[in-house]
Amino acid sequence: MTEDIRLIDWEFAKAAARRLTPPGPAIEPREAADAVAELRQASRRAHGPVADTTRLHAPPDTLDALIVDRPTWIDVNTTSFSHVIDPVVASALSRSSHAMPPPAMQRIGGKVTGSEVAALLSFMSTKVLGQYELAPGRSAQAARLLLVAPNIVQTERELDVVPADFRLWVCLHEQTHRVQFTAVPWLRDHMLSATQHLASELAPDVDAVLDRLKQAAANASQVLREGGSGIAELFLTPAQKEQVAQITAVMALLEGHADVIMDEVGPQVVPTVEQIRGKFDRRREGLGMIDILLRRLLGLEAKMAQYRDGAAFVRGVVDAVGMDGFNAVWTSAQTLPSAAEISDPTAWVARVHG
């Protein structure tokens, strides 16, 4: 894509998202500094028990977690979005028979699409507790665990749980993700490649956009179904849905594995883990209608299902062949569960272990 084509104005998106996003819960500077220090320490504490339980060990030079606020989370993810989406836009334009609109119209369009990205980033920046940022378009050394301090503090206050215990509990889940990608180095490249390939496949021919929009309007009620994958679902062909299902299966594996490990380690190191888990699960179920609607439109309800489906897969495999047998899943891309196997662990065991 040439430099003067700005179909998404990323700097505008970043600035708009920052303006739209509330700063987080009211907190005294000293308390905020203590929370950051405790999260950093909790992340370090979580690493050993997670590595021992998963039997996966990251290289010793792995970077510490980065404790961020909401604007910093927005900055990091705007960069990541641009590295994934810009090649997709270039692909779509290369297949179009239409001439590019004049620069003035491009600038206007870039701000319109930038506004849409900003709304998504703003919403997500208030929900995410932690994230292993894969750093698309950059080196593996740039990948890093992020912990979003204001969201963790806000959630622990809403749940009325012991802050130190909740922070460590969150770190158990997020450290599992870091171990997954650092102890299994091919996994990051595989996920980035699969995501980029799918994104390119999903980039519609500009000439066909109106037809897709008509199809979407006719099936818009699907967006609100439990377990749907959001508005993108309406634009997918059957072949593309199959590709999405495969990536979703791997995401379910990663999320379910992290949930299983945090539940395995939690009772050993988090005194109030039973109370935290109970309140956290009830919070997921007790969201307001507006929040539920937004989550379904964005596909976040599908992410909630990933925790359940993936955890059931991991437990089913571990029950059958133990943790060492389960860890065969990390051997190569061919040993990852298929979309069918994620809900049928015995099929995966039969395929991989015979």
Side-chain angles (χ1 to χ4, degrees), residues 116-117 119-120 202 204 212-213 215-225 227-237 240-241 244 292-302:
E116 295 169 351
V117 172
L120 171 63
L202 296 184
R212 291 287 187 93
L213 287 173
Q215 176 187 345
N219 297 282
S221 62
Q222 295 177 23
V223 176
L224 303 180
R225 291 183 308 179
S229 59
I231 55 177
E233 172 81 12
L234 301 180
F235 294 89
L236 304 182
T237 67
Q240 290 167 343
K241 288 180 181 179
V244 170
I292 289 173
L293 178 61
L294 283 171
R295 286 174 179 271
R296 291 188 182 176
L297 285 169
L298 296 174
L300 299 180
E301 285 293 295

Side-chain angles (χ1 to χ4, degrees), residues 16-17 20-22 73-74 117-127:
L20 287 169
T21 304
W73 185 91
I74 287 170
V117 172
L120 171 63
L121 287 168
S122 177
F123 176 77
M124 292 299 298
S125 73
T126 66
K127 304 297 180 184

Side-chain angles (χ1 to χ4, degrees), residues 197-332:
H197 175 74
L198 178 62
S200 296
E201 286 289 315
L202 296 184
D205 188 317
V206 174
D207 300 337
V209 168
L210 287 178
D211 288 340
R212 291 287 187 93
L213 287 173
K214 291 175 182 176
Q215 176 187 345
N219 297 282
S221 62
Q222 295 177 23
V223 176
L224 303 180
R225 291 183 308 179
E226 182 73 27
S229 59
I231 55 177
E233 172 81 12
L234 301 180
F235 294 89
L236 304 182
T237 67
Q240 290 167 343
K241 288 180 181 179
E242 186 175 337
Q243 293 181 60
V244 170
Q246 182 55 47
I247 291 182
T248 300
V250 179
M251 293 302 299
L253 167 71
L254 300 177
E255 295 294 354
H257 183 236
D259 252 20
V260 168
I261 296 303
M262 76 190 298
D263 284 346
E264 181 73 20
V265 177
Q268 305 170 36
V269 297
V270 181
T272 59
V273 65
E274 186 175 347
Q275 179 193 54
I276 290 171
R277 170 56 85 181
K279 288 188 173 184
F280 194 80
D281 287 347
R282 286 194 295 274
R283 179 177 181 267
R284 283 179 179 172
E285 297 168 358
L287 299 170
M289 284 305 299
I290 297 299
D291 200 51
I292 289 173
L293 178 61
L294 283 171
R295 286 174 179 271
R296 291 188 182 176
L297 285 169
L298 296 174
L300 299 180
E301 285 293 295
K303 184 172 179 62
M304 295 298 114
Q306 287 175 11
Y307 292 95
R308 298 188 297 269
D309 297 345
F313 172 83
V314 174
R315 291 191 174 99
V317 172
V318 171
D319 286 347
V321 295
M323 185 60 74
D324 288 334
F326 167 78
N327 280 343
V329 80
W330 312 118
T331 304
S332 70

Side-chain angles (χ1 to χ4, degrees), residues 70-86:
R70 290 171 177 174
T72 303
W73 185 91
I74 287 170
D75 290 351
V76 169
N77 281 274
T78 301
T79 299
S80 293
F81 272 32
S82 68
H83 280 297
V84 172
I85 294 175
D86 280 348

